Amino acid sequence: MAIVQVLVASILLASNALAAAGSKNQTLYILTLLPYPYINPLFDPSWVEGPQVSLALEIAKEEINNQLAILPGYQIELIGGDCGCEYVDRAYEAIGSTTYYPGVSKMPIGIIGPGCSSSSLSVSSLTNREALSLVNVHGGGSPSLSNRTNFPYSLGTLGSAESFSNLVIKLMHANNWHRIGILFNELREFYSTTSQNLHDIISSDSTLSSYLSPVYDNTYIPLSEIMQQGIRINVLFTPVRTTRQVLCLALHRGVVYPAYQWIVTSNTFEDIAQNVNFEFDHQVYNCSETEMRQTALNRVSFINYRLSHINESAPSTYPKHSFKEYDALFRNRLEEHNLQNNDNITYSIWTTYLYDTFWAWAVVLDRVAIREPNMDLTQFRYGKTSLSKVVLEEFYRLDFEGVSGRIHFNNNSGFLNRVISVFQAKDGNVTEIGNFDGVHFIVKEDLDAIEGEFADEHFNIGHGVFAALLIVTVLELVLLITLHVLTIKYRFSQSVKASSPKLSQLTFIGCYLIIFTLILYIFRSYLLLDDYTTVFLCNLTWAWLLPISFTLAYGTVAVRTWRLHRIFTHYLNPGRFIADHYLMAFVFVLLGVDVLLGTLWMAIDPQQLDVKNVTVPQDVTNFVVRTCRDNSYWSYGLVFGYRGVLIVVVLVLTFLTRNIQNQSFRTKTLRVLVYLSSLTLVVGFVLFYLFLLYGSPLSHGPIVFIMLTFHGLLLLFITLICLPPLIPKLREEFYKKFPRFIKTHEVDFEIEIESESVLVEGSSRFYI
């Protein structure tokens, strides 16, 4: 604040000297509502460009008041009103009151400022009232300020931020970006209305809306959403503090080049390359100036208003300075006021924009004085609509070259058509690669842009996994066919006849269906099928094949266990004979339940195709995961839930028959099968539901569950149901061919004839 006081004092001294000289003996006042270096929590740490603004206005004021050809008889003084940026009440107070020096009325004839969109909207609403009718040339950029009906006396020196929207669209076209992320700060008028303007432009144009699909997000640093949606190009419509935090967090989480590219608007490289310390999601993040500088230099692009005239050597119309000459003058003044070594001071666009704005006011008032020679401009009072309209007309007639560019206000928007530059940070340098004048995008150098979207790769099992699973399944099929052929061949042997061959046939059919289901699932997980075929196979697998194959294979185990229970342990009528055809009928009842539940599933809630995009930034790849899903999980619970009840019942019956007398090899293998198959199913389904709740789409969860669970069941059925009846006959055939391995023993043996439910005990001599 001391710096500002020194500058104001120097301005007053210079103006008093001029007045004493008598060259300009009347004073016109312009109210400045600019955010001088005032401690403002919305900025970081305050508007540090305030001293530059004061210095630029001082230079312009000295030049204007020293030129007798501009406003002869008048000098211009500034009434400084520090409104911060969002402190609208301060602007109201400055406008609504008339302050006095001793004997001097200081009624402003116009306003420079405010410097932010929110306060500019409020002030513009106020100056439009007939009680004021005051022309203000503000520094807001919100497209809302272009409404000439609501804000007829409001002019914008900054240029409408609508140019940012149009430039973003041109960049999307030029780099073939169909999809970008738009991150904006909804609490700041400039950023929220600019992003809304971009949305309106795209949605109102059918060609653009079908071609471009930006994703808008006003949440606080939504990096997780960016990564989940695979959005590689992200545009920041955010103030400098938020922009620093976003890029710092992006550095920590790897959301940077070459997987992602950031486009920063209305901030410069120097704004970003600062130390950052903040808390996010209950964690403190720190980024040094070196880290921020390296991040910003890593293919980050900057879109900002151009500081100077495109031709920096071209002389301005007023006061004949080129930008280079003004720049040298300005830097000398910085040195005079000991500001050149202040780390908080960066060269700002406001130093040239407000310099030209002050000159614009001087030229306009000079033309008004010539146009209305009988009018005393010092007698202006609020509400003097006729004078304000003349001032406004002259502003629209302005057309001269300033050090910041062409000064010509657009009749339709009230804004200057400012040039916006695009800068690319690359290889340690920040280079201007193009500029946009609101209509034409002049490209000096192509943007070093990444692809707009990650390369799509359909997430299927690899060739090696496919071959391994297929080989294992085929080997199981060969083994099953071999056992089935041997069972038919030795169907008249005592051991095969004692194993209930009709039930064994159902077991074989169930195992064949399991293998067929596994082969379908392996090919569906390997090949890229069309949507209809994928959904058809999903419904066929889950609603029909898996339940029916399981029932055919496991159902025979259930009825065998039930028969043992009825024969040996039933508390009402033990020893009751149950024929095979009754047991088969029960199995068919279970199959009927499967058909009914599958039909209800398909009628009420059939599975649908679910396509997920999972981005792996390290591979610069977007994996397209095609799965099937239901709207709810009740169908899985209904179809497979009753099997859980069946498994529990079979476990209970197995436990009850664990101590029956005269146990045979068949009863022991049956009991082992029940325990192991139950454990396999429980573990498999628990893993499956854990995957549904917490698993990554890239974890191959469903196929792992299917393969492990049903391959395990298949091996259990083959080794404990299909193989045991053949062991006596195979052993007998082996000893016939290789008699040297035969030894005689006296052993006890027992033969179980299940079809007659009789155990025959005895002692005999036979070969093992």
Side-chain angles (χ1 to χ4, degrees):
M1 191 60 71
I3 295 174
V4 177
Q5 292 175 349
V6 171
L7 293 176
V8 171
S10 63
I11 294 173
L12 291 175
L13 289 174
S15 61
N16 290 337
L18 288 171
S23 57
K24 295 190 176 186
N25 52 16
Q26 297 190 83
T27 303
L28 301 177
Y29 295 97
I30 295 177
L31 175 65
T32 59
L33 298 176
L34 296 170
Y36 295 123
Y38 179 80
I39 302 302
N40 186 337
L42 293 176
F43 289 84
D44 185 19
S46 64
W47 201 55
V48 296
E49 298 166 353
Q52 293 189 46
V53 170
S54 299
L55 193 57
L57 293 175
E58 177 189 5
I59 294 173
K61 176 185 170 182
E62 290 178 358
E63 292 176 344
I64 292 167
N65 289 338
N66 283 331
Q67 286 201 18
L68 298 179
I70 297 292
L71 276 174
Y74 293 99
Q75 65 176 348
I76 299 179
E77 291 290 344
L78 298 177
I79 304 174
D82 185 355
C83 67
C85 181
E86 307 297 329
Y87 291 96
V88 179
D89 291 341
R90 294 169 182 258
Y92 284 174
E93 180 181 353
I95 296 173
S97 63
T98 303
T99 57
Y100 294 89
Y101 283 150
V104 179
S105 173
K106 297 171 57 177
M107 177 69 72
I109 197 170
I111 300 175
I112 297 177
C116 295
S117 293
S118 296
S119 50
S120 294
L121 284 168
S122 300
V123 170
S124 297
S125 299
L126 186 63
T127 57
N128 183 46
R129 299 176 183 177
E130 290 188 4
L132 285 178
S133 300
L134 200 60
V135 175
N136 69 296
V137 184
H138 59 77
S142 170
S144 302
L145 289 163
S146 63
N147 190 316
R148 297 295 81 203
T149 301
N150 294 338
F151 312 114
Y153 293 104
S154 176
L155 302 172
T157 187
L158 186 63
S160 174
E162 184 176 351
S163 296
F164 284 95
S165 304
N166 291 322
L167 181 53
V168 168
I169 292 174
K170 288 187 177 295
L171 287 175
M172 292 182 73
H173 279 296
N175 297 285
N176 198 29
W177 294 335
H178 291 208
R179 187 166 173 263
I180 63 173
I182 305 292
L183 280 69
F184 66 95
N185 189 322
E186 66 177 346
L187 300 179
R188 296 288 298 275
E189 181 72 23
F190 176 87
Y191 304 108
S192 62
T193 56
T194 303
S195 62
Q196 182 62 45
N197 177 254
L198 176 59
H199 175 272
D200 294 341
I201 292 174
I202 293 178
S203 59
S204 62
D205 189 318
S206 58
T207 303
L208 286 177
S209 59
S210 62
Y211 175 75
L212 307 176
S213 57
V215 179
Y216 297 86
D217 200 321
N218 61 358
T219 58
Y220 183 57
I221 317 184
L223 293 193
S224 298
E225 290 80 357
I226 289 172
M227 298 174 71
Q228 290 171 4
Q229 298 183 48
I231 305 174
R232 302 191 67 189
I233 312 298
N234 292 278
V235 182
L236 292 177
F237 289 111
T238 51
V240 61
R241 178 190 295 179
T242 305
T243 302
R244 291 173 187 165
Q245 293 173 352
V246 170
L247 294 180
C248 176
L249 190 60
L251 174 64
H252 278 274
R253 299 197 177 175
V255 189
V256 291
Y257 183 86
Y260 299 91
Q261 188 162 8
W262 294 93
I263 298 177
V264 176
T265 65
S266 69
N267 292 304
T268 65
F269 170 78
E270 290 77 12
D271 294 331
I272 305 305
Q274 304 288 336
N275 294 320
V276 183
N277 185 306
F278 66 102
E279 182 178 347
F280 176 74
D281 199 18
H282 308 294
Q283 183 175 349
V284 175
Y285 291 90
N286 294 283
C287 289
S288 66
E289 179 180 343
T290 301
E291 290 176 321
M292 291 299 295
R293 180 175 294 273
Q294 291 174 347
T295 301
L297 287 174
N298 198 7
R299 302 303 196 280
V300 173
S301 300
F302 298 89
I303 301 176
N304 206 356
Y305 294 106
R306 185 177 176 82
L307 174 68
S308 65
H309 195 286
I310 292 179
N311 184 353
E312 297 184 356
S313 299
S316 61
T317 307
Y318 303 100
K320 306 299 183 182
H321 286 318
S322 68
F323 170 76
K324 289 185 176 181
E325 293 171 339
Y326 169 78
D327 178 62
L329 174 62
F330 181 79
R331 292 186 184 277
N332 287 335
R333 287 298 184 92
L334 283 177
E335 186 175 353
E336 290 176 7
H337 291 284
N338 297 319
L339 294 175
Q340 74 279 7
N341 295 322
N342 191 333
D343 293 336
N344 288 329
I345 301 299
T346 59
Y347 206 99
S348 166
I349 61 171
W350 292 105
T351 61
T352 55
Y353 282 27
L354 289 176
Y355 174 84
D356 283 339
T357 299
F358 203 158
W359 266 102
W361 263 108
V363 173
V364 164
L365 293 177
D366 180 65
R367 293 179 179 180
V368 170
I370 295 173
R371 179 174 168 180
E372 304 288 342
N374 297 323
M375 181 181 295
D376 185 359
L377 298 183
T378 61
Q379 299 304 309
F380 171 79
R381 293 294 181 266
Y382 292 156
K384 199 168 184 179
T385 308
S386 58
L387 178 57
S388 295
K389 287 183 177 179
V390 173
V391 171
L392 190 62
E393 289 175 4
E394 291 301 331
F395 261 110
Y396 281 123
R397 290 176 180 173
L398 282 179
D399 193 353
F400 67 90
E401 297 296 330
V403 296
S404 63
R406 184 186 179 192
I407 307 300
H408 178 65
F409 291 92
N410 188 297
N411 289 0
N412 296 321
S413 66
F415 281 100
L416 291 177
N417 291 324
R418 290 294 188 182
V419 174
I420 298 178
S421 293
V422 181
F423 299 89
Q424 170 92 72
K426 178 183 176 183
D427 300 329
N429 297 308
V430 180
T431 307
E432 183 180 15
I433 63 170
N435 53 70
F436 179 61
D437 63 3
V439 178
H440 303 101
F441 182 33
I442 302 173
V443 180
K444 299 180 179 179
E445 180 183 338
D446 289 336
L447 182 69
D448 189 6
I450 64 176
E451 294 293 330
E453 298 181 53
F454 288 100
D456 284 345
E457 181 174 326
H458 289 277
F459 185 69
N460 295 328
I461 59 175
H463 303 305
V465 176
F466 168 75
L469 291 176
L470 192 60
I471 290 172
V472 170
T473 307
V474 170
L475 289 176
E476 290 174 339
L477 178 61
V478 171
L479 177 60
L480 185 64
I481 292 174
T482 302
L483 294 178
H484 198 182
V485 170
L486 291 175
T487 300
I488 296 174
K489 179 180 179 180
Y490 300 126
R491 63 187 179 278
F492 297 115
S493 66
Q494 186 64 36
S495 60
V496 174
K497 291 172 63 176
S499 66
S500 299
K502 293 181 180 180
L503 292 176
S504 297
Q505 294 302 318
L506 292 181
T507 303
F508 276 111
I509 295 173
C511 291
Y512 285 132
L513 274 179
I514 290 176
I515 291 177
F516 176 71
T517 304
L518 292 176
I519 291 175
L520 276 183
Y521 204 89
I522 291 170
F523 275 97
R524 187 178 76 80
S525 302
Y526 176 69
L527 300 176
L528 179 59
L529 304 174
D530 60 82
D531 295 351
Y532 176 81
T533 304
T534 301
V535 174
F536 173 77
L537 291 179
C538 283
N539 287 310
L540 179 66
T541 301
W542 287 98
W544 305 102
L545 292 179
L546 287 180
I548 291 175
S549 60
F550 174 80
T551 298
L552 285 171
Y554 191 81
T556 59
V557 176
V559 296
R560 291 173 193 269
T561 307
W562 178 47
R563 179 160 63 185
L564 286 175
H565 170 68
R566 290 291 297 173
I567 293 174
F568 292 103
T569 61
H570 197 278
Y571 68 98
L572 291 178
N573 190 15
R576 181 179 179 181
F577 170 74
I578 303 177
D580 284 355
H581 62 271
Y582 288 111
L583 300 182
M584 293 181 65
F586 186 76
V587 174
F588 287 127
V589 170
L590 295 179
L591 290 176
V593 175
D594 286 333
V595 173
L596 177 61
L597 293 179
T599 303
L600 289 175
W601 188 352
M602 293 301 97
I604 297 175
D605 185 25
Q607 295 196 65
Q608 300 173 353
L609 185 66
D610 185 24
V611 180
K612 293 184 176 68
N613 293 290
V614 182
T615 301
V616 180
Q618 294 81 0
D619 300 331
V620 196
T621 302
N622 176 59
F623 287 104
V624 181
V625 183
R626 293 158 56 85
T627 57
C628 297
R629 64 170 178 83
D630 294 278
N631 295 326
S632 62
Y633 295 136
W634 70 266
S635 48
Y636 288 103
L638 179 63
V639 171
F640 295 101
Y642 96 93
R643 283 170 179 76
V645 177
L646 179 63
I647 292 172
V648 171
V649 172
V650 174
L651 280 172
V652 172
L653 294 177
T654 303
F655 181 78
L656 293 176
T657 57
R658 70 191 184 282
N659 294 323
I660 63 174
Q661 296 179 353
N662 304 319
Q663 295 193 38
S664 66
F665 180 70
R666 290 284 296 156
T667 59
K668 293 178 181 178
T669 58
L670 186 65
R671 188 165 60 250
V672 172
L673 172 66
V674 171
Y675 292 147
L676 291 180
S677 62
S678 301
L679 179 63
T680 301
L681 287 170
V682 170
V683 172
F685 275 101
V686 168
L687 292 177
F688 178 67
Y689 275 101
L690 287 177
F691 162 76
L692 290 180
L693 294 176
Y694 308 108
S696 167
L698 300 183
S699 62
H700 288 300
I703 194 169
V704 170
F705 157 73
I706 292 289
M707 294 298 120
L708 291 180
T709 302
F710 283 89
H711 273 296
L713 288 176
L714 189 61
L715 291 174
L716 289 175
F717 288 132
I718 291 175
T719 56
L720 298 177
I721 296 294
C722 301
L723 179 61
L726 296 172
I727 292 178
K729 188 63 179 178
L730 293 176
R731 183 171 52 191
E732 179 183 341
E733 294 295 328
F734 177 80
Y735 289 147
K736 285 182 180 180
K737 292 184 178 182
F738 305 100
R740 62 182 180 276
F741 293 104
I742 298 176
K743 294 181 181 179
T744 59
H745 293 274
E746 186 75 18
V747 298
D748 294 330
F749 72 95
E750 57 185 27
I751 301 174
E752 177 186 358
I753 306 175
E754 294 187 2
S755 60
E756 298 180 0
S757 302
V758 176
L759 291 179
V760 181
E761 300 182 20
S763 177
S764 177
R765 186 182 300 275
F766 74 108
Y767 300 100
I768 61 173

